[in-house]
């Protein structure tokens, strides 16, 4: 990423083939694959960008949350690179990266705004204030939205990762044919809970014959997806109304979901608010969003020490300060 925030290359090494036969990510295999590919991917990214190693100004690396082994490989590589090139090292919380993705294609996206992160490990609602302060409004009490997709796909025998498989299949099904519960929790709650929905699917599926399963799997996928989408859209807009903001960003792997995108766009038009939905390649995990967040951190002087450690359960503080591009442009850099 250039100093102006333009992506010059973003190389992705998917590990889906490695994990697919196990029906989910195997941590040890993930770490090994990181070791095997990290330098090749970095070299490829520079080649595509036409940038020499010696022209890099800073290295941003994710230090958590995530799988410890994989994080450790990245942190070690990032440190080695920064040390060898004598350039700053920046640690980026994975969630901070997802949030930053909202501004990559829309640098003028306004604050205050509500940000909904929907990924394989998180379903978090944040309020980003005009001064860059980030406040947690609600989160999942059990499964994350992506987890709900992945577990459902496993039950339905659709393979891994489940989100894209359900998304594709649901396009050929009738959502109204199978009704699943909508877990809204207490009235007004901004928290989420998807484990009951997954159990409802399991019971529904267990009671079906092989023929019924074959005949209805697309309807079931569509009905299940619709339940998740209903809850995500309702809670995101509940937060927008409650905090009287005019902008909503939805980020993370699940925000690549075609039905969710359609429903969010329609609702945002109705409500007359601005919506940031990054391109699908920026929704699922990618290096560009880490670079974007790293650049903000670098500008704030938040540099990492050589003692930086990978932290599998690193949390984003309930309240922290970000620096959306808008603030930088206005010359209001925060200390
Ligand atoms: O952000 P992400 O790439 O990785 C994590 O930080 O977890 O999110 C991955 C999650 C997986 O659960 C995957 O099934 C889900 O995002 N996902 C989708 C779609 N594409 C990816 N879920 C629903 N529909 C999609 N099109
Ligand atoms: Zn992610």
């Amino acid at each position: 990423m250039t100093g102006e925030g333009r992506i010059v290359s973003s190389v992705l090494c998917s590990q889906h083939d490695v994990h697919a036969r196990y029906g989910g990510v195997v941590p040890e295999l993930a770490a090994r694959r990181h070791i095997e590919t990290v330098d090749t991917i970095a070299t490829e990214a520079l080649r595509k960008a036409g940038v020499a190693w010696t022209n890099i100004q800073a290295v941003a690396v994710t230090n958590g949350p995530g799988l410890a082994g994989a994080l450790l490989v990245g942190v070690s590589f990032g440190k080695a690179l920064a040390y060898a090139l004598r350039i700053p090292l920046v640690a980026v919380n994975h969630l901070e990266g997802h949030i930053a993705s909202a501004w990559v294609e829309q640098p003028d996206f306004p604050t205050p705004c509500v940000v909904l992160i929907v990924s394989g490990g998180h379903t978090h609602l944040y309020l980003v204030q005009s001064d860059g302060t980030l406040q947690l409004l609600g989160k999942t009490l059990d499964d994350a939205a992506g987890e709900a997709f992945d577990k459902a796909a496993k039950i339905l025998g659709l393979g891994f990762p489940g989100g894209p498989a359900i998304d594709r299949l649901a396009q050929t099904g009738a959502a109204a044919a199978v009704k699943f519960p909508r877990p809204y929790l207490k009235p007004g709650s901004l928290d989420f809970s998807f484990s009951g929905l997954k159990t409802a699917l399991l019971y529904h599926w267990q009671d079906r014959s092989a023929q019924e399963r074959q005949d209805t799997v697309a309807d079931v996928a569509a009905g299940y997806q619709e339940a998740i989408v209903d809850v995500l859209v309702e809670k995101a807009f509940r937060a927008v109304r409650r905090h009287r903001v005019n902008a909503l960003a939805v980020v993370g792997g699940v925000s690549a979901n075609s039905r969710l995108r359609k429903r969010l766009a329609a609702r945002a038009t109705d409500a007359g608010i601005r919506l940031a939905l990054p391109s699908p390649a920026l929704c699922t995990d990618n290096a560009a969003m880490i670079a974007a967040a790293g650049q903000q951190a670098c500008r704030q002087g938040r540099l990492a020490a050589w003692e930086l450690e990978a932290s599998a359960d690193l949390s984003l503080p309930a309240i922290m300060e970000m620096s959306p591009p808008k603030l930088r442009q206005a010359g209001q850099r925060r200390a």
Side-chain angles (χ1 to χ4, degrees), residues 94 98 119-121 146-147 149-150 161-164 167 252-254 256-257 283-285:
H94 185 71
H98 275 305
S119 69
E147 219 174 338
F149 273 106
D150 293 338
D167 190 348
V254 177
N257 182 270
C283 293
T284 43
D285 287 352

Side-chain angles (χ1 to χ4, degrees), residues 223-236:
Y224 184 84
Q225 174 180 267
E226 203 66 15
I228 296 177
V229 169
D230 272 352
V231 173
L232 294 178
V233 172
E234 173 55 32
K235 301 235 169 181

Side-chain angles (χ1 to χ4, degrees), residues 7 32 110 130 170 186 199 210 239 279-280 311 313-314 321 330:
I7 300 173
R32 278 193 215 168
S130 302
K186 285 197 303 264
T199 308
S279 303
S311 172
D313 54 3
L314 187 69
E321 286 177 26

